[in-house]
Amino acid sequence: MVSLEKIDKSYVTGSHRLHVLKAVDLEIESGEMAAVMGASGSGKSTLMNILGLLDNYDGGSYRLDGQLMRDLSETRAAVLRRQLIGFVFQSFNLIPFKTAAENVALPLYYQGLGRRRRQAAALEYLERVGLRDWATHRPSEMSGGQQQRVAIARALVARPKLLLADEPTGALDSETSHEIMELLQQVNREGVTVLVVTHERDVAAMTRRVIRLKDGRVEDAHARLPDA
């Protein structure tokens, strides 16, 4: 599903050049559920941005679902994101003035689906995350855990092959974090490849494999943690 070979990425600010990713090699098989861990500044966010086609890389190659991701225009990158990738963020990134159903349906709007089909799909995915009865509520009327469930439903409604979750439990208490991770495990069992960036050992332990980054390099791609 994901194949990175010798990925390099640097940022230049003024006369300073920061080498963030250094010859990163990484393979993530279709249907895997893995965590990415590492200290602040290790390159986790940059790696996720490259995987999510939100940023380019300087050297190496990135293949997603067998396709080479290189020198993409923003239009082409947006099309591929809509077709292949779902995103879940720590801050939920829900639109505050839209209802849960409207937030979930948004990716389908950009795909050009009609209103009736969007509404039906949104309700179906809210049902899957246990929030069908909250379809007409706005984010401000929901708990953090409920908002993250809406965000997961939104990420899944377009049926992505890869789900990228960037600190999906970072704003949640431990019990709610466990519930969100159980939901992501369920998503993974249904065939979606799931990659979770986290600094929490309990969260990482609920995945099948831990990828450790250190100073822009993959230190260990097969780490195991004890059950949480």
Side-chain angles (χ1 to χ4, degrees):
M1 172 56 65
V2 168
S3 179
L4 302 181
E5 184 175 354
K6 305 301 180 187
I7 291 291
D8 272 286
K9 178 65 179 180
S10 296
Y11 295 103
V12 177
T13 54
S15 60
H16 182 64
R17 183 173 182 267
L18 181 62
H19 199 176
V20 182
L21 295 180
K22 306 166 186 175
V24 170
D25 291 329
L26 184 62
E27 298 285 337
I28 299 171
E29 300 294 332
S30 180
E32 266 204 274
M33 183 174 185
V36 177
M37 300 188 78
S40 178
S42 62
K44 300 189 304 297
S45 295
T46 300
L47 177 63
M48 287 293 271
N49 285 340
I50 289 173
L51 292 176
L53 307 180
L54 298 170
D55 201 355
N56 297 313
Y57 53 94
D58 300 328
S61 65
Y62 169 28
R63 293 184 183 275
L64 176 60
D65 197 31
Q67 304 177 61
L68 181 62
M69 303 289 129
R70 178 183 288 158
D71 300 327
L72 302 175
S73 68
E74 180 50 43
T75 300
R76 179 60 178 158
V79 169
L80 289 168
R81 282 195 297 268
R82 289 196 295 266
Q83 291 175 344
L84 298 173
I85 305 170
F87 296 91
V88 179
F89 303 96
Q90 176 178 348
S91 55
F92 319 134
N93 287 15
L94 301 178
I95 298 175
F97 57 84
K98 289 188 176 294
T99 65
E102 289 169 339
N103 269 283
V104 173
L106 198 58
L108 302 180
Y109 170 81
Y110 290 114
Q111 287 188 353
L113 266 67
R115 181 182 180 88
R116 185 173 298 178
R117 290 177 64 190
R118 295 199 307 268
Q119 178 73 6
L123 294 178
E124 174 190 346
Y125 277 83
L126 283 172
E127 178 76 37
R128 289 184 59 185
V129 300
L131 289 179
R132 172 63 180 80
D133 292 342
W134 290 78
T136 60
H137 290 251
R138 289 179 170 78
S140 61
E141 301 171 309
M142 301 178 185
S143 69
Q146 287 173 321
Q147 290 183 63
Q148 194 61 294
R149 286 175 178 271
V150 172
I152 291 171
R154 180 186 58 191
L156 296 176
V157 73
R159 302 181 184 274
K161 293 187 176 182
L162 174 65
L163 182 66
L164 299 176
D166 192 358
E167 298 284 1
T169 63
L172 307 174
D173 61 57
S174 57
E175 181 178 353
T176 306
S177 295
H178 191 85
E179 293 172 356
I180 291 299
M181 285 305 297
E182 286 182 331
L183 179 56
L184 292 179
Q185 287 178 328
Q186 177 185 330
V187 168
N188 175 246
R189 286 193 295 269
E190 294 171 1
V192 179
T193 305
V194 178
L195 191 62
V196 180
V197 166
T198 183
H199 64 276
E200 300 176 58
R201 287 178 58 86
D202 288 353
V203 169
M206 294 182 71
T207 68
R208 300 178 188 175
R209 176 164 67 114
V210 178
I211 300 156
R212 294 188 181 278
L213 293 184
K214 183 177 181 180
D215 298 329
R217 301 182 188 275
V218 175
E219 182 182 43
D220 187 349
H222 303 283
R224 299 292 179 182
L225 292 174
D227 291 339

